[in-house]
Amino acid sequence: MPTYRDEIVVLRTHKLGEADRIVTMLSKRNGKIRAVAKGVRRTSSRFGARVEPFMVADVQLYRGRSLDIIQQAESLGSYGAEIVVHYDRYTSAHAMVEAADRLNEAEATPQQYLLLVGGLRALAQGAHAPRSILDSYLLRAMALSGWAPGLTECARCGAPGPHDTFLAQSGGMVCDSCAPTGAARVHPSTATLLQALMAGEWDQVDAAGAGASAAASGLIAAYAQWHLERGIRSLSQMSSRRQESIR
């Protein structure tokens, strides 16, 4: 059928011509979709605000040769308005949709869609610290893509933990025998926090100290970018801002 419907979350947009936009979306049933939203940059557009980044919508699309065309859009979650007015929420949401945009077609599953929508909803509601929501999202997104980090056993040899060295290139926590000479040690509180973020144990996450949270964020960012094989620009910007605030 040339026309189809799906639930989508908008990852990014860019201008096309004088009045149109190309919208990149992660959908519930059709993976990643790139489609043209005609006339949405005009003030008279019927659904322009519904196809902005971080928005969740039910859309009707027409299959085109190279790009599909968005014919209708009904809002399912207006998360953008509550996200963009808070800098920390905005930068975390940007990193989440950027990571989702890195997924290949095989990885763009319904589970990834639901995970991203849940993360954006939590950010909009201010349910937890924005960076914690981002960190939990990245760990779970990697797990759904088949890259779950080893946190309780050695990621290289399988030796039971606890271990105190984390290597992104090795797949997570590693034992003393597998850790290279001079590898940085992970404090037990940080290792515990990593497990809580993966499991969604928010009581532990919310109670974590600033030092453990910052250390966990750094490890998760390194892990996600290693397996996505290219940097997430939003994460680099967040790290730079954090270093400036410490100074």
Side-chain angles (χ1 to χ4, degrees), residues 26 32 96 98-113 115-116 136-149 198 223-224 226-229:
L26 179 63
K32 283 198 297 183
M96 288 165 63
E98 190 177 349
D101 197 21
R102 296 283 194 270
L103 299 173
N104 61 43
E105 290 302 323
E107 296 169 331
T109 61
Q111 291 77 19
Q112 290 282 6
Y113 165 82
L115 178 66
L116 180 58
S136 182
Y137 167 79
L138 290 173
L139 284 175
R140 296 183 189 190
M142 292 299 100
L144 287 174
S145 296
W147 298 105
M198 173 66 87
Y223 185 81
W226 173 269
H227 288 291
L228 291 172
E229 297 183 347

Side-chain angles (χ1 to χ4, degrees), residues 50-127:
R50 300 169 195 163
V51 288
E52 291 294 324
F54 319 138
M55 303 298 283
V56 181
D58 181 296
V59 295
Q60 178 174 299
L61 303 105
Y62 179 85
R63 294 193 187 276
R65 291 184 178 180
S66 58
L67 293 171
D68 294 349
I69 298 174
I70 300 174
Q71 297 178 316
Q72 297 177 10
E74 298 296 332
S75 177
L76 296 177
S78 300
Y79 304 132
E82 291 298 325
I83 288 174
V84 299
V85 295
H86 299 276
Y87 182 81
D88 289 346
R89 296 184 192 181
Y90 175 76
T91 53
S92 294
H94 230 291
M96 288 165 63
V97 297
E98 190 177 349
D101 197 21
R102 296 283 194 270
L103 299 173
N104 61 43
E105 290 302 323
E107 296 169 331
T109 61
Q111 291 77 19
Q112 290 282 6
Y113 165 82
L114 294 172
L115 178 66
L116 180 58
V117 171
L120 293 174
R121 182 189 302 117
L123 283 175
Q125 296 173 345

Side-chain angles (χ1 to χ4, degrees), residues 14 37 71 90 156 163 175 187 244:
H14 63 270
Q71 297 178 316
Y90 175 76
R156 296 190 65 183
H163 304 300
C175 65
H187 192 276
E244 291 174 359

Side-chain angles (χ1 to χ4, degrees), residues 30-54:
N30 290 276
K32 283 198 297 183
I33 302 170
R34 293 180 76 242
V36 177
K38 292 184 175 293
V40 294
R41 291 162 57 200
R42 299 192 182 102
T43 56
S44 59
S45 172
R46 292 175 299 165
F47 57 83
R50 300 169 195 163
V51 288
E52 291 294 324
F54 319 138

Side-chain angles (χ1 to χ4, degrees), residues 21-34:
R21 287 189 186 277
I22 294 177
V23 184
T24 301
M25 304 164 279
L26 179 63
S27 73
K28 188 173 185 179
R29 293 180 291 275
N30 290 276
K32 283 198 297 183
I33 302 170
R34 293 180 76 242

Side-chain angles (χ1 to χ4, degrees), residues 1 16 20 31 35 39 43 48 55 75 88 112 119 123 129-130 132 147 151 153-154 165 187 206 209 222:
M1 294 292 291
L16 177 67
D20 305 339
T43 56
M55 303 298 283
S75 177
D88 289 346
Q112 290 282 6
L123 283 175
S132 295
W147 298 105
L151 299 176
E153 299 178 344
C154 176
T165 301
H187 192 276
D206 293 340

